[in-house]
Amino acid sequence: MEKSEKIFVAGHRGLVGSALVRTLERDGFDHLVTRARSQLDLGSEAAVDLFFAQEKPAIVIFAAAKVGGIKANNDQPVEFLLDNIQIQNNVIRAAHEAGVRKLLFLGSSCIYPKHAPQPIPESALLTGPLEPTNEAYAIAKIAGIKLCQAYAREYGAHFISAMPTNLYGPNDNFDLLSSHVLPALLRKAHDAKTSGARELMVWGSGKPRREFLHVDDLAAACLFLLERYDSPEIINVGCGEDVSIRELAELICDVVGFKGELAWDTTKPDGTPRKLLDVSKVHDLGWRHTIALRDGIARTYEWFLKNPPRDSKPE
Ligand code: GDP
């Protein structure tokens, strides 16, 4: 990839997009194109077509998505399905028509069947029923993967798809009702510590296992794949290790310095029992994560302290 190539990062304000912009700028890519939602509605086919016709980016990284944790996914299947399919269809089609040289579509580990073998190899895609709590999002992402593969097969497009594991880091969503587990527990531990609470409420049984990757590692992987990977076959990106939700909660409490007890709200769903990606393919290509979970949580907590969520109560 030339440093001067025009790169469009779709979704640059989100967790993933903002990490991509940070990493690309740090690495000297000086022709980034971004658009705020108020400037470009990715859900509008006409607006997306016009944008691509005018800007003609060489590279597209598709990091725009309606995302959310287990509750949001479960509560709003229509929005997760419709919005995601709409924006990805618009961007992928317009990218092809505008002659984009390479496109990286970001999926998710939830595209894999609920009872996929662990760690989950890329070949597990479409081999069994999905986890019901995030089925709508998963179906949308699978449609995006298939569209990229179809453009590759039918038109020879260089549209690749990477499947990141659960991500966390700066600019994550810390809203307790729609966030993923790691930012939710970071915030809950911080709030419990500052309010002097004795207990921190964790959802579910604590038994599910999840793998977590710092988003700066994902951004580095994206650049790596754009340079070195050119197959329409999906590729997993993770750290290759998982922890139970209980272990995660204990680690977060330790980093934050909350010394109280964990309590368990078993009325909330556990979701899929385990989600650990088989990352041997990306490892074989030569990429590995660099940020250990404890360090990543500590860095994210530092960021959180400097950027408290707008809805949080003043201390
Ligand atoms: P998932 O990976 O799609 O299941 O999404 P989440 O990151 O939202 O949830 C992962 C696991 O963490 C589930 O078993 C949740 O029940 C559990 N969990 C525990 N406490 C929380 C919390 O405060 N918020 C969220 N979102 N999940 C929690």
Side-chain angles (χ1 to χ4, degrees), residues 158-177:
H158 300 274
F159 290 2
I160 62 173
S161 301
M163 300 307 115
T165 192
N166 295 34
L167 301 166
Y168 68 97
N171 296 313
D172 208 340
N173 170 15
F174 288 90
D175 169 66
L176 293 181
L177 290 181

Side-chain angles (χ1 to χ4, degrees), residues 194-241:
T194 48
S195 70
R198 294 224 187 118
E199 258 184 16
L200 182 162
M201 188 62 81
V202 190
W203 294 356
S205 66
K207 292 195 183 113
R209 300 186 67 85
R210 296 287 184 274
E211 176 189 15
F212 298 95
L213 183 73
H214 192 283
V215 72
D216 286 352
D217 271 334
L218 174 73
C222 288
L223 264 64
F224 177 89
L225 292 173
L226 280 167
E227 308 248 10
R228 316 263 186 98
Y229 189 71
D230 201 19
S231 160
E233 296 304 319
I234 59 175
I235 183 161
N236 290 339
V237 181
C239 67
E241 292 156 31

Side-chain angles (χ1 to χ4, degrees), residues 74-246:
N74 207 17
D75 292 352
Q76 301 166 42
V78 172
E79 288 72 20
F80 277 84
L81 195 54
L82 212 54
D83 295 2
N84 282 312
I85 289 192
Q86 215 160 24
I87 62 175
Q88 73 203 21
N89 281 355
N90 288 343
V91 171
I92 296 168
R93 189 189 45 73
H96 170 66
E97 282 168 15
V100 162
R101 181 174 78 72
K102 195 152 186 180
L103 178 143
L104 170 60
F105 177 74
L106 288 166
S108 158
S109 58
C110 71
I111 57 152
Y112 292 115
K114 174 169 183 150
H115 296 296
Q118 302 286 332
I120 312 172
E122 288 87 354
S123 58
L125 180 63
L126 291 174
T127 55
L130 297 162
E131 155 61 32
T133 52
N134 54 36
E135 190 181 56
Y137 181 72
I139 295 275
K141 285 294 179 188
I142 293 170
I145 295 165
K146 289 293 162 190
L147 187 58
C148 289
Q149 291 178 340
Y151 271 111
R153 187 157 65 89
E154 195 174 332
Y155 297 107
H158 300 274
F159 290 2
I160 62 173
S161 301
M163 300 307 115
T165 192
N166 295 34
L167 301 166
Y168 68 97
N171 296 313
D172 208 340
N173 170 15
F174 288 90
D175 169 66
L176 293 181
L177 290 181
S178 60
S179 62
H180 282 102
V181 60
L182 195 150
L185 293 182
L186 198 59
R187 177 168 183 183
K188 285 186 194 177
H190 172 76
D191 290 350
K193 182 178 93 170
T194 48
S195 70
R198 294 224 187 118
E199 258 184 16
L200 182 162
M201 188 62 81
V202 190
W203 294 356
S205 66
K207 292 195 183 113
R209 300 186 67 85
R210 296 287 184 274
E211 176 189 15
F212 298 95
L213 183 73
H214 192 283
V215 72
D216 286 352
D217 271 334
L218 174 73
C222 288
L223 264 64
F224 177 89
L225 292 173
L226 280 167
E227 308 248 10
R228 316 263 186 98
Y229 189 71
D230 201 19
S231 160
E233 296 304 319
I234 59 175
I235 183 161
N236 290 339
V237 181
C239 67
E241 292 156 31
D242 62 353
V243 291
S244 71
I245 297 301
R246 175 185 288 277

